[in-house]
Amino acid sequence: MRSDVGGKRNVCGMEYNFYKLHLNLISYVPVLFLSLFKSISLLCLRMDINNKINNNKTRISLYWKCQLIGWSIVSVYWAYTVYTRDNYGIFCTLLNYVLDISIGIFLTHMYRLFALKAKWSSLPIKKLLIRLVPTIILLAVLYVLINNLKWYAYWTFIAGEGKNFFEAIIYWDPILLTGLRLMSIWILAYHLYHYYQKEVVTAKENAQLSLIAKQVQLDNLLAQLNPHFLFNSLNSIKSLVIENPNVARRAIDLLSDLLRSSLYEKDKGLISIKNELALVYDYIELEKMRFEERLQLNTNIDNDLINYKIPTLSIQLLVENAIKHGIDLKVGGGVVFLKINKQDSNICITVDNPGVINQHKSVGLGLKNLKKRLEIQYKGKASFSLTVKENEYVVAEIIIPMHVEDEKI
């Protein structure tokens, strides 16, 4: 019941020369079916990309359709071979056809389960290829052994011919090459599918992140160009022009730096904590000209983290909200506490300010966009929270992973 017996084995009394001539006539058939198998895999890939990527039911259904169609077409060749060359009857031919399909699906599905558990689809291409080469060889060897067992069982228990078990098991030519070819095509098609699926998801996420970043940039620029903000800043500068020209010049420099950051830093998705803090300090210094002693900033920064990168203007947004919704509403003002430290393998950024959260008012657009940016930028591994302490202090906290996919943020 072997589907790819070598030319040197005499099957059912057929002479070697006739067998060799027959084999030459059908030698191009495997190439045709393997090409069809590859085309079907790519077609399934395109079909799945056009569906909703997060629809697990559709993905599983499509996977099994590709498995059944692909292996059914490939196994047609072996069914034709054993029927015309090896004189299998109709029943044995159909049985061999079903077994060939089952063997292909079994081996490749076991590989799929292992690859999903080991998360091979998320590996870089170089690391993936190192793992695929021995895996393909192993699957091809298993393919040889299972087919040899199938062949031995047929000739021993059905055909009634005595066959040497050891010789049957170690027989490899040309079935090993067939196994290598089939497993290589299936595994490459499978990972090509996941690679393009990942690219589509990444492209969608990048598009969403770009839109959100643009909105954050506009929001930030509007905040800096807010008439109320400019009015207060310019009034403070005007009063200082005569009283303290040096301080007035400094205020103009700070306002200029803030506007420049809004225009140029917005094009960067990530910024080092060191540079972000410089922007925050400029913003606090400018606001203190308006609030004077009512505004104080207390910082606790882990210097080992200052070179790590975070989303641009994220700390500035938290500090700005602390002043706008906390300090500005208190007659006596208050202190904004900024803390950046390491927690396990994460960077924790905390901004505390006196105030309360209005439960009847939704979170501002700026904080919503920040939360969405974190979700997309760090693939759900970062978080943002806004809570209230018992002593009427509002705590805004951002937790960001220090490393994503073995790369330093």
Side-chain angles (χ1 to χ4, degrees):
M1 201 158 133
R2 174 187 298 273
S3 58
D4 35 10
V5 180
K8 295 181 179 181
R9 180 172 293 179
N10 192 2
V11 182
C12 297
M14 296 175 64
E15 296 295 334
Y16 172 72
N17 290 334
F18 175 77
Y19 165 76
K20 185 176 180 181
L21 175 62
H22 189 76
L23 184 61
N24 287 335
L25 292 175
I26 62 174
S27 60
Y28 292 100
V29 178
V31 178
L32 174 62
F33 285 117
L34 291 174
S35 299
L36 286 172
F37 180 72
K38 185 176 181 181
S39 300
I40 290 171
S41 299
L42 294 176
L43 178 61
C44 291
L45 167 64
R46 294 187 61 185
M47 290 169 60
D48 192 55
I49 289 176
N50 292 331
N51 291 328
K52 293 182 178 178
I53 294 176
N54 292 324
N55 191 329
N56 292 328
K57 184 177 180 180
T58 301
R59 185 188 306 158
I60 294 174
S61 175
L62 186 62
Y63 164 77
W64 285 111
K65 286 179 181 178
C66 291
Q67 282 281 67
L68 290 171
I69 294 173
W71 286 110
S72 296
I73 292 179
V74 170
S75 299
V76 166
Y77 163 69
W78 308 123
Y80 168 78
T81 301
V82 297
Y83 183 76
T84 59
R85 185 192 69 192
D86 300 341
N87 294 329
Y88 279 29
I90 295 178
F91 173 78
C92 290
T93 299
L94 291 176
L95 180 61
N96 182 76
Y97 178 68
V98 173
L99 289 175
D100 282 340
I101 295 174
S102 302
I103 291 170
I105 291 179
F106 171 75
L107 289 176
T108 52
H109 187 64
M110 289 301 102
Y111 167 79
R112 176 178 179 266
L113 293 177
F114 173 80
L116 288 174
K117 185 176 181 180
K119 298 181 180 179
W120 280 13
S121 294
S122 61
L123 292 174
I125 294 180
K126 186 176 180 180
K127 291 183 179 180
L128 178 62
L129 289 177
I130 294 175
R131 290 163 172 78
L132 290 187
V133 172
T135 302
I136 291 174
I137 295 175
L138 176 61
L139 287 173
V141 171
L142 291 175
Y143 182 82
V144 170
L145 292 176
I146 295 175
N147 273 282
N148 284 344
L149 285 173
K150 179 190 70 172
W151 179 88
Y152 176 80
Y154 171 76
W155 288 106
T156 302
F157 300 110
I158 297 179
E161 297 186 11
K163 298 292 180 181
N164 185 285
F165 179 78
F166 180 75
E167 290 182 359
I169 292 299
I170 65 172
Y171 185 77
W172 63 273
D173 181 26
I175 190 172
L176 179 61
L177 296 179
T178 300
L180 288 171
R181 188 164 58 241
L182 288 174
M183 296 304 152
S184 298
I185 292 175
W186 192 96
I187 289 178
L188 290 177
Y190 175 78
H191 286 287
L192 178 65
Y193 155 76
H194 279 283
Y195 173 78
Y196 276 105
Q197 185 187 58
K198 184 178 179 181
E199 288 296 309
V200 171
V201 172
T202 302
K204 287 186 176 181
E205 289 181 347
N206 288 339
Q208 285 183 319
L209 186 60
S210 178
L211 290 175
I212 293 174
K214 291 297 181 183
Q215 184 62 49
V216 170
Q217 293 158 13
L218 291 174
D219 293 340
N220 183 70
L221 186 57
L222 288 173
Q224 303 300 339
L225 294 177
N226 187 297
H228 180 70
F229 174 82
L230 281 177
F231 176 78
N232 290 325
S233 300
L234 292 175
N235 266 344
S236 300
I237 294 172
K238 182 179 71 173
S239 63
L240 291 170
V241 169
I242 298 175
E243 297 175 7
N244 196 333
N246 290 332
V247 176
R249 283 194 293 270
R250 174 58 181 162
I252 293 173
D253 289 338
L254 291 172
L255 184 60
S256 175
D257 289 341
L258 285 173
L259 296 177
R260 185 182 301 111
S261 297
S262 298
L263 292 171
Y264 296 108
E265 293 295 339
K266 65 185 178 64
D267 292 327
K268 302 176 183 177
L270 298 174
I271 187 174
S272 67
I273 293 178
K274 180 180 179 180
N275 292 336
E276 177 79 2
L277 288 175
L279 174 63
V280 170
Y281 294 148
D282 285 347
Y283 177 76
I284 289 292
E285 188 176 348
L286 182 59
E287 286 287 58
K288 286 188 70 172
M289 294 179 183
R290 178 162 66 96
F291 288 92
E292 297 180 342
E293 297 302 320
R294 293 177 59 224
L295 173 60
Q296 300 295 327
L297 177 66
N298 191 324
T299 61
N300 181 2
I301 311 297
D302 186 343
N303 289 326
D304 293 335
L305 303 176
I306 60 175
N307 291 320
Y308 281 84
K309 292 187 176 182
I310 60 175
T312 304
L313 303 173
S314 54
I315 300 179
Q316 191 272 342
L317 175 62
L318 298 186
V319 172
E320 181 183 337
N321 273 272
I323 295 174
K324 181 179 179 182
H325 301 289
I327 305 300
D328 195 22
L329 302 180
K330 298 288 184 180
V331 176
V335 181
V336 176
F337 295 92
L338 172 60
K339 182 179 180 181
I340 303 177
N341 65 324
K342 179 181 177 182
Q343 292 184 358
D344 298 327
S345 58
N346 298 317
I347 299 173
C348 181
I349 302 170
T350 306
V351 175
D352 296 21
N353 63 273
V356 295
I357 297 177
N358 189 343
Q359 301 295 338
H360 303 289
K361 187 177 181 181
S362 61
V363 178
L365 183 61
L367 294 181
K368 286 182 179 179
N369 284 337
L370 174 61
K371 189 174 182 179
K372 189 67 176 178
R373 287 175 67 197
L374 291 172
E375 180 183 343
I376 297 176
Q377 185 78 54
Y378 299 98
K379 304 184 184 304
K381 297 180 181 179
S383 64
F384 168 76
S385 62
L386 191 65
T387 57
V388 180
K389 291 183 178 178
E390 293 181 358
N391 56 351
E392 292 191 348
Y393 257 79
V394 177
V395 181
E397 183 180 61
I398 298 176
I399 297 179
I400 296 174
M402 299 176 66
H403 298 82
V404 177
E405 294 182 355
D406 299 329
E407 294 183 3
K408 181 178 176 180
I409 297 297

